[in-house]
């Protein structure tokens, strides 16, 4: 039997082209010296170019589109000290950015703030990364989040490679749904009558949006909105879309105050971008959640009383579902989310991460619930808002 290290160079190059994740290409190169010499180092700036986007009015700001990958991170090899083979398949939830120098930068999956502390040196020979979701965020060139834009995704899905082909869908000014292509001098509003949109998601190869009344629509290739569901008429103040096990859910978040709307931006002085950077501060906090799933056969909404093994994660740039059994300390039937404390000037702290448990409708800080917090990397929940986080070396 031939040694794995003796595989033909042409075969290894073919395998590398079939890998969807650039992290997987790095891991392929990490197997041995011959594989590393056969497979070219991946270009980490190819998919999302590091390009200054001159966003037109009413935003009128230079921005950069940042891309990250939500992953489950686990050890590559079984732990000899572990008595349970099942525990060896468990991992931690994290978000990664990759530089073209082959280094990983870990950020918290519910936010976009770097993780400063890690008890291990992250070597791709020791860890495996399983992609769960992709996330996009518009930021100022120096890295500060652009709070005028609430959610952004690439559109169409195949828009890649050339920096001059970038086009985005965005919810901005707390409810306007717009399209912008690189070079356009203005935004294209997809709906000039409804400025109450809350979330966008890619679901089964299409983009779907939800407004504050819980009406879900999908967006076709001509940017036409087509109603997908009846209104939910939920009483919550904010809606999120989550895909779980092939089904689409609406999460209705109840708040302790009124949210800002697009009207609040009308009198905002556009000559002072610093005011926009802080305008998202002091948003109302969550008091309760309701989860709904659409019965597509009958065209009615069904209240979801339990998520079973699943947990929903509502991040600042994407929302997704996980199986709690895949993570250390994972608990199902809950929602992880944030109550924003960015106004403190310290970034997102672990105290702003909350857990909502469906069985009793209680919201608690995740730092008071070790059995819930252990799903995050690092295991001791080390998290800081400093933007000077180190990048972890990777053996390539």
């Amino acid at each position: 039997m031939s040694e794995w290290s003796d595989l033909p160079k042409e075969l290894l190059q073919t395998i590398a082209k079939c890998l969807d994740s650039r992290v997987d290409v790095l891991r392929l190169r990490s197997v041995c010296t011959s594989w590393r010499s056969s497979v070219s180092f991946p270009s980490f700036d190819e998919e999302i170019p590091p390009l200054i986007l001159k966003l037109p009015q009413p935003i009128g700001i230079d921005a950069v589109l940042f891309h990250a990958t939500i992953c489950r991170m686990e050890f590559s090899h079984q732990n000899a000290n572990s008595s349970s083979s099942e525990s060896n398949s468990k991992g931690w939830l994290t978000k990664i950015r990759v530089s073209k120098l082959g280094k990983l930068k870990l950020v918290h999956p519910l936010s976009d703030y770097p993780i400063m502390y890690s008890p291990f040196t992250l070597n791709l020979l020791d860890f495996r990364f399983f992609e769960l979701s992709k996330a996009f965020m518009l930021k100022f060139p120096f890295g500060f989040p652009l709070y005028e834009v609430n959610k952004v995704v690439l559109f169409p899905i195949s828009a890649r490679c050339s920096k001059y082909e970038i086009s985005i869908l965005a919810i901005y000014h707390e409810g306007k749904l717009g399209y912008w292509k690189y070079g356009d001098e203005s935004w294209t509003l997809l709906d000039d009558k409804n400025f109450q949109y809350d979330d966008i998601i890619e679901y089964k190869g299409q983009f779907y949006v939800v407004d504050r009344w819980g009406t879900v629509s999908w967006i076709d290739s001509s940017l036409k909105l087509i109603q997908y569901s009846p209104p939910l008429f939920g009483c919550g103040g904010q809606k999120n879309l989550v895909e779980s096990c092939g089904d689409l859910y609406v999460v209705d978040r109840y708040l302790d105050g009124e949210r800002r709307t697009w009207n609040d931006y009308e009198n905002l002085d556009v000559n002072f971008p610093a005011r926009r950077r802080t305008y998202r501060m002091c948003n109302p906090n969550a008091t309760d959640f309701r989860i709904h799933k659409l019965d597509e056969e009958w065209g009615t909404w069904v209240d979801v009383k339990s998520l079973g093994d699943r947990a929903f994660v509502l991040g600042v740039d994407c929302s997704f579902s996980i199986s709690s059994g895949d993570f250390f300390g994972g608990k199902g039937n809950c929602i992880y989310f944030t109550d924003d404390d960015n106004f403190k000037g310290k970034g997102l702290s672990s105290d702003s991460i909350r857990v909502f448990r469906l069985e009793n409708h209680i919201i608690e800080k995740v730092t008071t619930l070790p059995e819930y917090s252990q799903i995050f990397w690092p295991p001791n929940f080390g998290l800081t808002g400093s933007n000077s986080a180190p990048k972890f070396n990777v053996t390539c």
Side-chain angles (χ1 to χ4, degrees):
M1 182 179 294
S2 301
E3 295 289 339
W4 284 104
S5 59
D6 295 332
L7 286 178
K9 178 179 180 180
E10 295 78 12
L11 177 59
L12 290 169
Q13 292 174 343
T14 301
I15 293 173
K17 291 178 180 178
C18 295
L19 297 177
D20 294 328
S21 169
R22 291 169 291 181
V23 173
D24 286 341
V25 177
L26 281 179
R27 293 199 65 251
L28 182 70
R29 287 170 45 88
S30 301
V31 170
C32 61
T33 302
S34 63
W35 287 27
R36 185 159 53 248
S37 62
S38 299
V39 178
S40 301
F41 194 84
S43 172
F44 289 101
D45 291 330
E46 180 180 358
E47 186 172 345
I48 309 297
L51 177 70
I52 300 296
L53 306 179
K54 295 186 178 297
L55 301 178
Q57 296 293 346
I59 297 176
I61 290 176
D62 291 352
V64 176
L65 184 64
F66 283 79
H67 169 226
T69 304
I70 311 293
C71 294
R72 185 179 84 248
M73 184 176 71
E74 65 181 46
F75 286 109
S76 298
H77 308 291
Q78 291 190 354
N79 184 352
N81 297 324
S82 174
S83 58
S84 171
S85 60
E86 180 181 357
S87 66
N88 294 311
S89 63
K90 295 180 181 291
W92 298 273
L93 185 64
T94 191
K95 182 192 293 184
I96 62 172
R97 298 192 185 282
V98 190
S99 76
K100 60 185 177 181
L101 297 179
K103 296 183 178 181
L104 295 182
K105 186 175 183 179
L106 299 185
V107 294
H108 196 274
L110 273 77
S111 73
D112 209 56
Y113 287 93
I115 295 174
M116 290 288 289
Y117 167 75
S118 174
F120 302 98
T121 298
L122 297 186
N123 188 314
L124 288 181
L125 292 172
D126 300 326
F127 290 90
R128 291 184 295 182
F129 293 86
F130 297 89
E131 181 177 314
L132 302 176
S133 183
K134 293 184 183 296
F136 299 93
M137 180 179 285
L138 284 169
K139 295 185 177 184
F140 288 93
F142 50 82
F144 205 93
L146 181 59
Y147 287 147
E148 276 192 284
V149 178
N150 308 98
K151 187 70 177 284
V152 63
V153 294
L154 279 183
F155 183 86
I157 301 171
S158 60
R160 296 293 188 268
C161 300
S162 173
K163 64 183 181 181
Y164 300 110
E165 294 176 359
I166 283 184
S167 57
I168 59 176
L169 284 172
I171 295 174
Y172 60 94
H173 288 185
E174 300 291 342
K176 293 183 177 182
L177 178 61
Y179 168 83
W180 180 81
K181 184 174 67 175
Y182 185 83
D184 286 356
E185 296 182 356
S186 63
W187 288 86
T188 300
L189 280 176
L190 275 65
D191 188 343
D192 59 4
K193 296 181 176 63
N194 182 1
F195 295 162
Q196 305 274 350
Y197 287 97
D198 269 350
D199 201 8
I200 316 175
I201 192 174
E202 179 195 337
Y203 173 64
K204 294 183 178 180
Q206 298 284 346
F207 286 105
Y208 290 78
V209 294
V210 64
D211 63 21
R212 295 192 188 182
W213 295 278
T215 302
V216 177
S217 304
W218 66 278
I219 305 169
D220 69 10
S221 58
S222 65
L223 301 178
K224 181 181 179 181
L225 282 169
I226 301 171
Q227 186 170 331
Y228 176 72
S229 79
L232 176 63
F233 292 116
C235 298
Q238 183 176 353
K239 309 293 191 291
N240 285 100
L241 292 170
V242 180
E243 185 275 329
S244 181
C245 300
D247 293 316
L248 187 61
Y249 293 77
V250 171
V251 179
D252 199 5
R253 186 184 312 209
Y254 289 70
L255 305 171
D256 62 3
E258 293 295 325
R259 286 178 57 191
R260 301 189 187 279
T261 69
W262 66 274
N263 280 316
D264 296 314
Y265 283 90
E266 294 299 317
N267 297 321
L268 189 64
D269 190 346
V270 297
N271 294 318
F272 294 93
R275 294 182 63 185
R276 287 196 287 262
R277 293 202 296 268
T278 59
Y279 196 62
R280 195 184 173 202
M281 300 171 182
C282 303
N283 278 335
N285 294 327
T287 60
D288 197 6
F289 287 86
R290 296 289 190 274
I291 300 177
H292 310 273
K293 183 172 73 170
L294 181 68
D295 185 328
E296 297 188 40
E297 181 178 356
W298 295 97
T300 58
W301 288 104
V302 178
D303 292 340
V304 177
K305 303 300 183 184
S306 174
L307 293 175
D309 168 69
R310 309 299 294 186
F312 287 179
V313 183
L314 309 181
V316 297
D317 49 9
C318 71
S319 299
F320 54 94
S321 168
I322 61 173
S323 172
S324 59
D326 292 337
F327 297 88
F328 288 107
K331 297 288 185 180
N333 201 30
C334 67
I335 299 173
Y336 291 90
F337 68 101
T338 66
D339 270 337
D340 208 339
D341 70 346
N342 287 329
F343 64 91
K344 295 179 181 178
K346 300 177 181 178
L348 189 65
S349 70
S350 57
D351 275 347
S352 69
I353 309 297
R354 303 288 196 270
V355 174
F356 171 81
R357 290 181 281 182
L358 269 72
E359 68 267 19
N360 54 20
H361 283 249
I362 291 178
I363 295 175
E364 296 183 79
K365 293 181 179 180
V366 75
T367 47
T368 66
L369 302 168
E371 67 272 27
Y372 286 86
S373 66
Q374 288 302 309
I375 74 166
F376 299 104
W377 178 271
N380 70 348
F381 208 78
L383 178 65
T384 182
S386 172
N387 285 319
S388 59
K391 296 175 182 177
F392 300 94
N393 289 329
V394 175
T395 299
C396 300

